[in-house]
Amino acid sequence: MNAKAKFALALAILSLAVGAGVALLAVGVWSSVSPGDQAVLTRVLREQAALVATGGLLLLAGLGALVALFFKLYVAAPRRLATETRLIASANPDHRLEVRGPGEVRELAVAVNELADRYRSARSDVEGQIAAARADLERERNRLAALMSELTLAVLVCNVEGRILLYNAAARQLLDRPVGLVGLGRSVFGIVDRSLIAHALACVRDSSAASHPAMTARGDKLLRVQIAPVAAEGGELAGFVLTLDDMTRRAEISERRDALLRALTEGTRASLASIRAAVESMLDYPEMESEQRRRFVEIIREEATGLGAQVERAMSESSGYLHDQWLLADMLDRELLTALGRSLDGEAGVRASIDEPGDERWLRVDSFALVRAVTHLAGRLHAERGVDEIGLAVRGVGRHAELDLRWLGAPLDAETLRSWTEQPLGPGGRGAASTLKEVVERHGGELWCRQDEAGRGAYVRLLLPLAEVVPGPPPVNPAVPDESRPEFYDFDLFGAAEHAPAWDERRLDELAYTIFDTETTGLSPSEGDEIISIGAIRIVNGRLLRQETFEQLVDPRRGVSAASQRVHGISPELLRGQPTIEEVLPAFARFASDTVLVGHNVAFDMRFLQLKEAQTGVRLTQPVLDTLLLSAVVHPDHEEHSLEAMAARLGVSVIGRHTALGDAILTGEIFLKLLRLLGAQGVVTLRDAREAARRTYQARVSNSLYARG
Amino acid sequence: MASKVLIVDDEPNIVTSLEFLMRRRGYETRVAADGDLALEEAERFQPDIVLLDVMLPRRDGFEVCQQLRATGRSDLKIVMLTAKGRETEIAKGMAVGADAYVTKPFSTRELVDQVARLLEGGS
């Protein structure tokens, strides 16, 4: 009951009460006087009727005013206070109650204001803490994402079910063949054998090691997989981390090295056998005829020559991979000089001046060992020859680079240089190279010292191999703009339901979706129109994964109508040489496996795909949702359910329309908004959504029948 | 009657010495330069002992040895002569039925003694 009604009711009850009192008094007076007086009273009342009525009205008005005042002070004021208190609690914590009215009400207002102050400060404390925690988390996540994308090692993090929670660009580059295997929420067992992971995890459990290495082959690649378990609180397995390394090249090298070693030992043995047998025969049978002896001598000479050639061949072949090849990496000469300069300044106490090389060259070096070794040399020069300044320069000569250390003063004699190069480099070493000599040998290089051309100074020249191919940094996700943080991880999947219930029972917000769209040569699938492009994007855990897209043009093996070409702008030339639907559809099915298919007016696209079932052997059996029908569920009063109209209604910006991927992304953004609205309408599970959509579909069909009729 | 030795090796330089040594000891010798020829020659010549290289064209020494053991005479002696000196290879040679396994380079005297011992029925 509102205040006005209460006020009217109170006034009415009060008036009735006063009226009844007056009436009772009148009746009492009336009955207690004599009939004569009654007649007098009657006459007086009749003559003074106006006065009595006016008095009565005045009394009523007075009562009304009294009640109104009372209401204003003691009923309306608390109501106002309640409303405003609610405002403070919900919308505007800075609002304060006006302190006015009678004392009791003022006291209440002051008390509420005090409470509001406390509430505000508590709230801002909590908000600050939440914001700080969130910022921390965000920073950490960004750091993680940046770290992951920088790593050249492929990394995959999975939950205990084997679903991928995190991957980096290197993982995608190494493993995503065929495309669509690497993705958030996808099973890692499509990439790495399940039993291999189980075996490795068992090995870790049974040993003190933190991780277990294993080898696996994928296509023509040999991969080294390092598997480490991730424990949850309480110690049980929550998931595991895989790092993968392409060992193909290393394995090749080690294989070639083995083969070389085998050929060398076996070949040497065979030749030595021939020589030894010939020599021993001659020694044991000195009386043999001269023709036989001549043949043996000839054998010895021939085999000895062959041995020499074989060793020579082995040496030249092995120089490339007999060393610790993988410590060598390609490095720009300029960067090596910079590193050397810094180390000379800092470690050797020598001022380094660098001759900027004109054109850039890639060197194949173990930069760490090399810098350490050269710094050692500079340190000796400084300590024993008083050299304070060293010029550094690199020059390319044929397949080598000359790295020069120049100083003013006398050159080192061969004996001194040899002893310096054989001195241990000191602690902090890595691998086998512990002297400058070994470092140079491992590079297949040479080192000498000469007086310079002008005769005023000297230089030590280091000959280093140039890298054969000029490498560029691998392109890391060129399609991803920098400002968007790559969504390569989703740790919320750690808590994913262990056993997925049947599709229909699952909640819409925990399903994975593939939003897709096709472009076609025309609008009549049954009359020979064909798909010319498929674009798709995934939604996992309520997020549109912009890194996980599928986009492929398809050669329709027929013409494209001018009308549809105007829509999608794909010319027949673009389609020539593209894969055919027989190749594309299986790839798309892999990409969409284990997800609900979503499209706008999806029946059209599904019709095209279904017509290809027999030809491609691909049947998409998963559930399908249509954003057009879902829009009709959410907005039954709107007529217009085109992508543009929905985008406008839901506040989604429209860009990149009319490419299959562009439309898929737009549909995905719209779908995410629809999901929220569906939830508000109590459409929670996939079954709910499908049934609601079916009802609107029937409604639409009957409407259109009706419209046609 | 002189013992018959079949020398199986595709390297003429070692064959020269082996032939010389065997002839000097009064054995009758024949030579085969690959695995297939070795089996044919063993059939035709009926040697008492085979000096068998492991690395041969067409059919390697292990296979020839196995074949000889499967179809040949039980008293035939087989000496494997090879540059393959890994333990696993020696084990395989003995496993497929060689009487002796000699790695290159070898001492001619020891080889000749070993052949003589085997022909006399020792090992």
Side-chain angles (χ1 to χ4, degrees):
Chain A
M1 193 184 290
N2 64 25
K4 250 183 201 157
K6 265 191 182 164
F7 172 64
L9 189 67
L11 193 58
I13 290 170
L14 204 61
S15 308
L16 277 176
V18 172
V22 171
L24 272 175
L25 194 66
V27 169
V29 170
W30 187 265
S31 57
S32 62
V33 298
S34 62
D37 291 348
Q38 280 175 357
V40 174
L41 259 178
T42 306
R43 201 190 65 236
V44 170
L45 276 177
R46 200 172 291 141
E47 280 167 6
Q48 298 299 319
L51 192 67
V52 170
T54 307
L57 275 177
L58 274 176
L59 187 68
L60 264 182
L63 272 175
L66 209 64
V67 170
L69 183 67
F70 182 81
F71 253 82
K72 189 167 173 248
L73 292 179
Y74 293 100
V75 178
R79 264 179 186 273
R80 170 179 63 84
L81 294 185
T83 311
E84 290 185 43
T85 306
R86 240 175 252 128
L87 180 70
I88 294 170
S90 62
N92 182 10
D94 293 329
H95 183 77
R96 288 292 173 273
L97 306 187
E98 209 181 320
V99 182
R100 59 182 161 94
E104 303 86 334
V105 174
R106 281 217 303 276
E107 230 168 274
L108 183 62
V110 168
V112 169
N113 280 346
E114 278 168 15
L115 198 60
D117 286 342
R118 267 187 227 163
Y119 167 68
R120 181 174 56 187
S121 78
R123 197 173 126 137
S124 76
D125 276 2
V126 170
E127 271 171 0
Q129 279 167 15
I130 290 175
R134 236 188 234 146
D136 262 0
L137 189 64
E138 190 67 8
R139 243 194 324 277
E140 236 158 68
R141 288 191 155 187
N142 283 339
R143 226 177 277 150
L144 179 67
L147 176 72
M148 285 295 160
S149 61
E150 284 302 310
L151 274 183
T152 54
L153 194 69
V155 180
L156 294 166
V157 180
C158 307
N159 69 8
V160 73
E161 285 176 86
R163 301 221 166 264
I164 298 171
L165 315 177
L166 173 152
Y167 64 88
N168 64 355
R172 160 161 277 187
Q173 228 155 29
L174 183 63
L175 303 169
D176 208 17
R177 310 270 180 289
V179 72
L181 277 176
V182 177
L184 293 184
R186 290 224 187 280
S187 173
V188 77
F189 303 130
I191 303 168
V192 179
D193 200 69
R194 190 190 182 99
S195 57
L196 181 122
I197 291 172
H199 165 76
L201 290 174
C203 287
V204 173
R205 200 180 50 231
D206 298 341
S207 74
S208 58
S211 68
H212 185 81
M215 295 296 288
T216 183
R218 261 181 61 74
D220 54 355
K221 281 195 193 121
L222 194 63
L223 302 177
R224 189 182 136 94
V225 195
Q226 194 88 19
I227 299 161
V230 177
E233 290 159 34
E236 78 269 29
L237 189 69
F240 47 89
V241 180
L242 305 178
T243 55
L244 297 105
D245 218 350
D246 189 351
M247 299 293 284
T248 318
R249 167 115 184 94
R250 289 187 200 177
E252 263 171 32
I253 286 175
S254 112
E255 213 164 274
R256 267 157 60 191
R257 187 159 49 175
D258 274 4
L260 180 72
L261 210 59
R262 220 168 30 242
L264 194 62
T265 52
E266 289 170 1
T268 313
R269 279 184 164 171
S271 288
L272 285 174
S274 295
I275 291 170
R276 185 169 171 185
V279 168
E280 286 178 357
S281 297
M282 287 195 296
L283 287 175
D284 286 355
Y285 302 93
E287 74 289 0
M288 72 172 63
E289 54 213 78
S290 64
E291 175 56 20
Q292 184 72 48
R293 178 178 298 275
R294 199 190 56 71
R295 274 179 67 199
F296 278 138
V297 172
E298 190 55 38
I299 285 172
I300 293 167
R301 197 170 66 94
E302 193 184 310
E303 291 290 351
T305 314
L307 261 183
Q310 191 165 25
V311 169
E312 202 56 43
R313 215 166 36 241
M315 281 308 293
S316 72
E317 204 183 313
S318 68
S319 63
Y321 47 81
L322 215 50
H323 310 118
D324 280 342
Q325 180 74 15
W326 44 80
L327 287 177
L328 302 186
D330 295 342
M331 189 179 198
L332 266 179
D333 51 3
R334 183 164 21 85
E335 287 173 11
L336 178 65
L337 287 184
T338 310
L340 280 173
R342 214 170 17 238
S343 178
L344 258 50
D345 285 339
E347 306 281 324
V350 178
R351 203 145 46 78
S353 58
I354 294 171
D355 281 8
E356 272 299 318
D359 45 347
E360 50 184 38
R361 259 174 298 273
W362 287 93
L363 306 172
R364 175 148 298 170
V365 293
D366 174 352
S367 57
F368 175 78
L370 194 64
V371 167
R372 207 158 64 93
V374 171
T375 306
H376 173 78
L377 181 65
R380 307 299 318 171
L381 279 170
H382 178 64
E384 293 180 26
R385 297 295 167 98
V387 174
D388 289 327
E389 185 167 356
I390 286 182
L392 293 169
V394 172
R395 211 158 59 91
V397 181
R399 289 175 54 210
H400 287 87
E402 294 175 351
L403 171 64
D404 286 355
L405 278 76
R406 292 177 176 271
W407 68 93
L408 287 173
L412 303 167
D413 59 275
E415 177 62 24
T416 309
L417 183 61
R418 192 182 55 73
S419 79
W420 286 6
T421 58
E422 288 174 4
Q423 274 169 1
L425 295 177
R430 176 182 60 168
S434 57
T435 66
L436 174 56
K437 186 177 171 210
E438 280 172 16
V439 171
V440 173
E441 272 172 6
R442 209 173 64 209
H443 282 82
E446 282 297 334
L447 175 95
W448 65 90
C449 182
R450 296 283 300 271
Q451 188 160 52
D452 74 10
E453 301 75 25
R456 296 191 302 130
Y459 62 87
V460 166
R461 176 163 294 168
L462 202 64
L463 216 54
L464 294 168
L466 286 174
E468 270 163 31
V469 280
V470 176
V476 177
N477 269 310
V480 184
D482 280 336
E483 67 271 20
S484 77
R485 175 160 55 78
E487 286 161 346
F488 283 144
Y489 58 82
D490 189 344
F491 288 122
D492 298 339
L493 290 170
F494 255 129
E498 194 129 331
H499 296 290
W503 285 111
D504 264 345
E505 312 311 324
R506 294 179 64 181
R507 292 172 55 89
L508 287 170
D509 53 11
E510 62 184 29
L511 281 165
Y513 301 91
T514 299
I515 326 296
F516 78 107
D517 185 49
T518 63
E519 302 290 340
T520 57
T521 58
L523 299 176
S524 317
S526 51
E527 286 161 31
D529 273 323
E530 297 280 352
I531 293 173
I532 55 171
S533 170
I534 302 180
I537 185 164
R538 282 162 32 90
I539 289 178
V540 177
N541 261 8
R543 287 196 305 163
L544 202 59
L545 302 179
R546 288 170 199 280
Q547 269 73 29
E548 297 183 12
T549 57
F550 180 94
E551 188 172 29
Q552 182 63 58
L553 292 176
V554 185
D555 184 352
R557 289 172 292 198
R558 54 154 288 170
V560 180
S561 80
S564 61
Q565 200 178 318
R566 267 198 300 280
V567 173
H568 48 62
I570 299 174
S571 67
E573 292 76 52
L574 266 177
L575 299 173
R576 220 163 287 137
Q578 295 292 341
T580 59
I581 195 74
E582 287 88 349
E583 298 166 65
V584 175
L585 213 48
F588 173 67
R590 250 191 323 271
F591 181 82
S593 68
D594 232 10
T595 62
V596 175
L597 286 175
V598 180
H600 189 71
N601 201 2
V602 73
F604 176 77
D605 307 272
M606 290 309 288
R607 181 83 187 118
F608 273 98
L609 296 179
Q610 277 155 4
L611 281 174
K612 293 292 166 202
E613 272 176 12
Q615 186 182 337
T616 60
V618 173
R619 266 193 81 202
L620 297 164
T621 52
Q622 62 262 62
V624 178
L625 287 177
D626 192 337
T627 45
L628 191 149
L629 298 181
L630 294 178
S631 173
V633 172
V634 171
H635 294 132
D637 308 331
H638 288 82
E639 290 288 305
E640 188 59 36
H641 297 290
S642 71
L643 274 184
E644 278 89 354
M646 287 165 64
R649 204 147 60 222
L650 297 168
V652 175
S653 65
V654 179
I655 37 170
R657 273 282 272 141
H658 295 308
T659 67
L661 182 58
D663 279 4
I665 292 173
L666 177 62
T667 310
E669 287 170 346
I670 287 172
F671 178 67
L672 282 177
K673 300 238 169 183
L674 287 176
L675 279 187
R676 241 171 283 157
L677 295 170
L678 285 169
Q681 291 193 4
V683 177
V684 175
T685 64
L686 182 62
R687 181 195 306 280
D688 297 342
R690 296 216 293 179
E691 279 171 2
R694 196 174 302 129
R695 278 195 300 276
T696 53
Y697 177 68
Q698 280 156 357
R700 288 172 66 83
V701 168
S702 64
N703 277 348
S704 68
L705 284 177
Y706 180 74
R708 260 182 236 151
Chain B
M1 201 183 88
S3 297
K4 294 192 282 186
V5 181
L6 174 60
I7 300 167
V8 185
D9 205 315
D10 62 327
E11 291 170 55
N13 284 342
I14 195 73
V15 170
T16 302
S17 295
L18 291 173
E19 249 190 316
F20 173 80
L21 291 167
M22 294 301 126
R23 288 212 175 117
R24 272 287 164 147
R25 290 295 297 249
Y27 304 138
E28 194 186 342
T29 60
R30 293 270 180 94
V31 176
D34 70 43
D36 286 347
L37 289 174
L39 289 175
E40 283 170 30
E41 202 58 47
E43 185 64 36
R44 232 184 344 254
F45 179 53
Q46 291 294 316
D48 299 298
I49 191 162
V50 181
L51 301 183
L52 181 58
D53 187 20
V54 170
M55 282 182 293
L56 289 172
R58 314 252 276 254
R59 201 187 273 266
D60 74 18
F62 293 126
E63 215 183 315
V64 171
C65 183
Q66 232 166 343
Q67 197 73 20
L68 287 173
R69 281 289 172 239
T71 57
R73 296 160 15 221
S74 59
D75 60 337
L76 173 69
K77 302 295 181 188
I78 299 175
V79 177
M80 302 209 78
L81 266 179
T82 175
K84 285 181 179 293
R86 291 204 309 248
E87 265 179 54
T88 49
E89 288 158 341
I90 297 172
K92 181 175 176 184
M94 302 310 280
V96 295
D99 294 291
Y101 197 101
V102 177
T103 52
K104 295 174 178 179
F106 48 82
S107 148
T108 49
R109 233 173 276 171
E110 280 171 24
L111 177 70
V112 169
D113 289 350
Q114 179 126 34
V115 168
R117 262 204 315 278
L118 284 168
L119 285 173
E120 282 158 23
S123 63

